[in-house]
Amino acid sequence: IRNCVLSVMKGDGSFSWSGAAGIANQNGQVPMTKDTPVYISSITKLYTAAVIMRLYEKGALFLDDPMSKYLPKKLIQGIHVYKGKDYSNEITIKELLSHTSGIADYYTEKPKGGKSLFEIFLEEPERSWTVDETIARVKNDLVPNFPPGTDTSYSDTNFQLLGKIIEAITGKPLHFVYNDFIFRPLGLKNIWLVGHSKALIASGTPADVFYKDKIINKMRTNGSYWADGGIVSTAEEMIIFLKALNEGRIVSRDTLKLMRNWHKLHFPLQYGYGTMYFKLPNFIAKWMEAPPLWGHSGSTGSFLYYSEDLNLYMAGSINQAESESKPFFKVMIKLTKAFQSKK
C-alpha cells in the first residue's frame, strides 16, 4: 500500500476526522492528503442505483420493467442466451440492480481459453474502450451464469446497462444526471465521472492506484469504467453522499428500505439494490466486536460504509487493487472497536 485516506463521521455530527498517509502521485512525489481525490471504483454502483431509485420514485420506470423497454435491440440482443434459451428481453431493472440477472461480468470473467478484460487492460493500458465495446464482449465472448432471477452473480455489466437506461429515460448523458440528482444538490465539488466531467473546483489529479507494484491510473481512465465504476471523489464527499442517502434526502426512507432488501452474495457480503451489507456470523461478530455495515466497496481498495449500531460513517481507500486479505475491512473493524470502547 503506497497511499491511503480515511474519513469518519458520527451521524449526529458530534465527531468527524479525516487523515491520509503516503505519496499520492509517485512521479511528482506529491503527498497524500485528506482532500486528494481517489478512484472509488464500484462504489459508483451506489450512486447509479440511487439515480435509478429516484427515477422509480418519479414514476419514470418500474423495477419490474424489462430492460428491453428502454434499450435498443441492437445493444442487448443475445446478451443472455442460457442453454439455448434467450432471456435477453426478459431481464428486469430489479435483476440488474441486485446482480440476479445472470449476465456475465465483462470485467473479470474469461472466455474459454482467453483472458479477462482486467488482464487485457493490464497488458494494454494505452488502449481506449467504449461501454458499447464492453457490452459487445459479453454478448460475443462470454456466457451467462444462470437464468435471470434464480441466483446471484456480481456483474459490472449490469450497471453498464443501468447507466444506458438512465440516459434513455432522461435524454441526458449520465454525468449530467449524476450532477442534477446528486452532485449539485449536495454541494459536492470534488467529484466527477472519469472521462466525462470535471470537478467544480481544481482538486488535482486522483491518487495513484496500484495493482501490486504497477500504477494502473491509465487503465482506470480507458473509457470502460462508467456507471459501474467510473466516479472519482474525496473520502469526505463520499460520506456526505451516504449520509444524505441514509437520511432520506436523495430517495425516501421507504425506497431506501427496498435498496436494502439483502440477499446472499459471497461471504461476508450480502447485496441489495446497488448496496452491500457486511455482516459476520453472530459468534464471530461478538468476538471481533464487528457490527453490521452497509454501503459499498470497490476493487481499488475503496470503501464507503455506515454502522447503524454506532451511527458512524466510514470512507476511504487503500488504492491497491491486489488485496487478498481486504485490509480495508480490517481498518473498519478496528474503527468500530475503537468507537465501541469510547461508548
Side-chain angles (χ1 to χ4, degrees):
I1 297 174
R2 306 298 183 85
N3 56 60
C4 57
V5 62
L6 171 67
S7 186
V8 295
M9 178 187 291
K10 290 286 286 183
D12 61 6
S14 62
F15 177 84
S16 63
W17 178 90
S18 297
I23 302 299
N25 303 113
Q26 306 299 305
N27 290 339
Q29 291 295 290
V30 178
M32 191 80 175
T33 75
K34 69 179 184 65
D35 297 317
T36 303
V38 296
Y39 297 101
I40 72 171
S41 57
S42 281
I43 298 173
T44 302
K45 292 180 175 67
L46 187 52
Y47 293 71
T48 300
V51 171
I52 287 285
M53 299 310 285
R54 274 286 299 278
L55 293 172
Y56 159 76
E57 286 189 336
K58 291 173 175 285
L61 61 82
F62 295 98
L63 299 180
D64 289 323
D65 285 343
M67 65 177 181
S68 56
K69 180 177 178 179
Y70 305 100
L71 300 179
K73 183 177 181 180
K74 183 180 179 181
L75 180 71
I76 63 171
Q77 187 174 27
I79 200 169
H80 193 307
V81 181
Y82 185 79
K83 294 185 176 180
K85 182 174 179 179
D86 193 342
Y87 294 94
S88 305
N89 293 325
E90 301 175 21
I91 295 167
T92 65
I93 291 173
K94 179 168 61 178
E95 289 165 344
L96 296 175
L97 282 168
S98 59
H99 291 304
T100 57
S101 72
I103 295 173
D105 180 13
Y106 80 85
Y107 190 52
T108 61
E109 294 188 42
K110 302 178 182 181
K112 188 175 182 179
K115 299 177 180 179
S116 71
L117 203 55
F118 175 74
E119 291 171 327
I120 294 172
F121 286 172
L122 288 172
E123 293 175 356
E124 305 176 41
E126 303 289 342
R127 180 177 171 181
S128 295
W129 291 79
T130 67
V131 173
D132 285 358
E133 285 176 323
T134 64
I135 294 173
R137 174 180 167 84
V138 175
K139 294 195 296 181
N140 300 330
D141 299 340
L142 303 176
V143 296
N145 293 294
F146 47 79
T150 63
D151 205 342
T152 306
S153 179
Y154 191 91
S155 174
D156 293 274
T157 315
N158 290 328
F159 278 76
Q160 299 284 49
L161 294 166
L162 288 168
K164 292 284 190 179
I165 290 171
I166 290 169
E167 291 193 332
I169 290 174
T170 62
K172 296 180 179 180
L174 179 63
H175 59 284
F176 281 22
V177 184
Y178 282 149
N179 189 57
D180 291 345
F181 283 18
I182 300 174
F183 301 171
R184 188 173 60 238
L186 297 182
L188 306 181
K189 298 179 179 179
N190 287 299
I191 188 169
W192 67 94
L193 183 61
V194 167
H196 297 275
S197 57
K198 297 181 179 179
L200 290 180
I201 63 174
S203 53
T205 57
D208 290 338
V209 61
F210 290 81
Y211 175 69
K212 299 181 180 178
D213 292 328
K214 183 176 183 178
I215 297 175
I216 58 172
N217 294 24
K218 286 184 179 179
M219 190 177 99
R220 297 298 313 183
T221 60
N222 68 11
S224 65
Y225 300 93
W226 189 53
D228 60 320
I231 288 179
V232 172
S233 176
T234 62
E236 289 181 347
E237 291 204 343
M238 280 196 277
I239 285 181
I240 291 172
F241 161 69
L242 186 58
K243 190 170 188 290
L245 182 63
N246 190 43
E247 292 176 349
R249 291 186 281 121
I250 298 177
V251 297
S252 71
R253 292 184 184 274
D254 285 342
T255 298
L256 184 60
K257 285 181 182 178
L258 288 177
M259 295 178 71
R260 299 190 300 179
N261 182 20
W262 312 119
H263 57 274
K264 183 180 178 181
L265 183 58
H266 53 75
F267 182 81
L269 294 173
Q270 299 176 48
Y271 213 83
Y273 294 165
T275 53
M276 282 183 173
Y277 184 54
F278 172 80
K279 187 178 188 299
L280 295 171
N282 289 337
F283 71 96
I284 298 178
K286 187 174 181 180
W287 170 63
M288 295 186 69
E289 299 179 69
L293 307 168
W294 77 270
H296 216 291
S297 42
S299 63
T300 54
S302 55
F303 55 92
L304 174 61
Y305 283 92
Y306 172 69
S307 165
E308 188 172 353
D309 292 355
L310 299 175
N311 193 18
L312 181 69
Y313 297 90
M314 296 163 278
S317 183
I318 60 171
N319 289 316
Q320 175 56 257
E322 171 59 22
S323 178
E324 294 298 330
S325 60
K326 301 296 182 189
F328 55 88
F329 278 119
K330 293 183 178 180
V331 168
M332 290 191 293
I333 289 172
K334 286 186 176 182
L335 273 171
T336 56
K337 280 185 177 181
F339 275 88
Q340 288 177 92
S341 69
K342 297 296 182 181
K343 278 188 174 181

